[in-house]
Amino acid sequence: MEDKIVYKKQKNRIPFWMILAILLLLLIISIVLGILIGPVSIKVSDIFHISLFKLGFIERGDWTSGVQNIIWLIRFPRVLLACAVGAGLAVAGATLQTLVQNQLADPFLLGISSGASVGAVLAIGFGFFSFAGIFGVQIAGFLGAFISFLLVFYLAKSGRELSPTRLILAGIGVGYVFSGITSFITMTTGNRELAGQILSWTLGSLARATWYDLTLPVLILFVVVGYLLLQSRNLNALSMGDEVAVTLGLDVNKFRKKMFVLIALLTGVMVAVSGTIGFVGLIIPHIVRIIVGPDHRKVLPLCALLGSIFLIWVDVIARTTFAPVELPVGIITSILGGPFFLLLLWKIQKKGGVYESKN
């Protein structure tokens, strides 16, 4: 099957390896600048020296304990969490758009993020899955994401067909229901401090990032993205339409179900540690496909890199624009993503139909 999938070479397109190298360089620069930017002045050399010291390669230098704590305990894990969440949501969005053959698909728009939020809020507020320790919230987030997408998927099915229009409408409807549940829990809890924590979290925030928060998201990100890359040929086949994919020997229904579970896992874990951050999975895949085309062997790794870079800088804007007040990250992505979504809707109207994936 793999040999039968051929893509036309597009003229005047930058080589993939060059784009990959540029994005890797931009990611490293963004990580360093993300750690540097803040109310407390920090030297670039301090970042590298403290990192090497913490990893056991050099002895302690003459930097202060305050600078060490700011770099290692506050800014470093926060920036790395932004990398993981941005990469995870972007890859989830790109995969979803192919699975449902609708380029308006996104974990936020399809209600998956809202379902993950309900699961995580139940874990935070009522101790669900407390036996799992620090991973309890992330397990609850995955289950919430999985349940919400099951609802969306079966509401959107018309017979054996998956209607793109019904999918978006079902996703919006289910998302509103789960958002309402989250708001109800927040408003009815008797603990004001807990209510404030939940409200801040549901708007999307990386402020409480710790090294422990990185453990499961990074592991899930590498495992899921690695597996998706191995399945990139099948994703390419599916992007051409169910009929073509079946002709090429792909069991479409089985493949979709397996992929949906993985995307629910990826989205649920990311939302559990960052809150609801919308539109990353909508914006980034479109930009990447414009640059390199529809081949998932190129789309998935570039989505991960660009998603990481994007969320690092969104977080920098969120915590510095109105300092010392910090804006929720989800507000910034909504401000950026809303017009982007309206642009896609305008394209739908211009084409006179549903904007489906025709890679």
Side-chain angles (χ1 to χ4, degrees):
M1 184 184 76
E2 295 181 1
D3 296 331
K4 296 180 182 178
I5 301 175
V6 180
Y7 291 97
K8 294 180 180 179
K9 293 183 179 180
Q10 298 190 17
K11 297 179 180 180
N12 302 323
R13 177 161 283 176
I14 303 174
F16 171 70
W17 66 267
M18 187 178 296
I19 299 172
L20 189 67
I22 291 171
L23 287 182
L24 280 170
L25 179 60
L26 288 176
L27 178 59
I28 294 171
I29 293 172
S30 297
I31 290 172
V32 174
L33 292 178
I35 297 171
L36 279 176
I37 297 173
V40 177
S41 179
I42 291 175
K43 300 177 183 177
V44 177
S45 59
D46 285 341
I47 296 174
F48 293 103
H49 291 153
I50 290 172
S51 299
L52 291 173
F53 166 68
K54 283 294 184 178
L55 294 173
F57 291 109
I58 64 172
E59 296 183 357
R60 197 186 193 287
D62 58 356
W63 56 78
T64 65
S65 297
V67 169
Q68 178 175 305
N69 291 336
I70 289 171
I71 291 175
W72 191 253
L73 298 181
I74 299 176
R75 295 188 188 175
F76 218 136
R78 179 168 184 161
V79 170
L80 293 183
L81 187 61
C83 288
V85 173
L89 293 178
V91 169
T95 308
L96 272 177
Q97 288 163 13
T98 297
L99 292 176
V100 301
Q101 297 179 7
N102 186 339
Q103 295 208 29
L104 289 178
D106 165 77
F108 179 71
L109 293 175
L110 293 186
I112 301 176
S113 295
S114 298
S117 294
V118 171
V121 166
L122 288 173
I124 294 172
F126 301 98
F128 283 29
F129 299 98
S130 57
F131 62 86
I134 61 173
F135 302 120
V137 176
Q138 297 168 26
I139 293 172
F142 159 64
L143 291 176
F146 185 65
I147 291 170
S148 65
F149 190 77
L150 282 179
L151 288 173
V152 173
F153 181 75
Y154 284 105
L155 286 171
K157 287 188 73 174
S158 178
R160 300 190 67 180
E161 298 294 326
L162 188 66
S163 167
T165 303
R166 287 168 63 95
L167 187 79
I168 296 298
L169 293 176
I172 293 173
V174 170
Y176 273 124
V177 170
F178 279 106
S179 294
I181 294 172
T182 302
S183 299
F184 177 79
I185 296 171
T186 304
M187 297 303 294
T188 56
T189 181
N191 188 333
R192 291 188 176 182
E193 183 178 348
L194 177 61
Q197 178 185 347
I198 292 174
L199 181 61
S200 174
W201 179 86
T202 53
L203 292 173
S205 176
L206 303 170
R208 295 180 178 86
T210 66
W211 286 105
Y212 293 108
D213 292 326
L214 286 167
T215 310
L216 192 58
V218 170
L219 175 62
I220 295 297
L221 176 67
F222 277 102
V223 170
V224 173
V225 173
Y227 184 77
L228 290 175
L229 283 171
L230 293 176
Q231 297 296 320
S232 59
R233 298 275 186 171
N234 289 333
L235 288 169
N236 288 341
L238 189 60
S239 69
M240 299 177 188
D242 287 10
E243 295 80 4
V244 175
V246 171
T247 303
L248 293 173
L250 179 64
D251 186 339
V252 172
N253 290 329
K254 184 178 179 181
F255 180 71
R256 268 205 178 98
K257 290 176 182 178
K258 182 169 58 176
M259 292 296 104
F260 285 148
V261 172
L262 287 176
I263 295 307
L265 174 62
L266 182 61
T267 303
V269 169
M270 296 306 164
V271 171
V273 294
S274 66
T276 306
I277 300 176
F279 295 107
V280 176
L282 179 67
I283 297 172
I284 302 302
H286 282 277
I287 295 173
V288 169
R289 287 192 180 101
I290 290 172
I291 298 172
V292 297
D295 188 351
H296 287 81
R297 292 171 297 180
K298 300 177 181 179
V299 168
L300 294 176
L302 294 190
C303 276
L305 290 173
L306 191 58
S308 296
I309 296 168
F310 175 75
L311 202 58
I312 287 174
W313 286 106
V314 167
D315 184 51
V316 169
I317 293 170
R319 60 185 167 87
T320 60
T321 304
F322 297 99
V325 177
E326 182 173 318
L327 292 176
V329 176
I331 291 178
I332 306 297
T333 58
S334 295
I335 292 173
L336 296 174
F340 192 88
F341 182 69
L342 292 175
L343 177 62
L344 292 181
L345 288 178
W346 175 75
K347 286 187 175 182
I348 293 174
Q349 185 179 13
K350 189 175 180 180
K351 291 186 176 183
V354 177
Y355 191 47
E356 299 180 3
S357 177
K358 299 293 183 184
N359 297 334

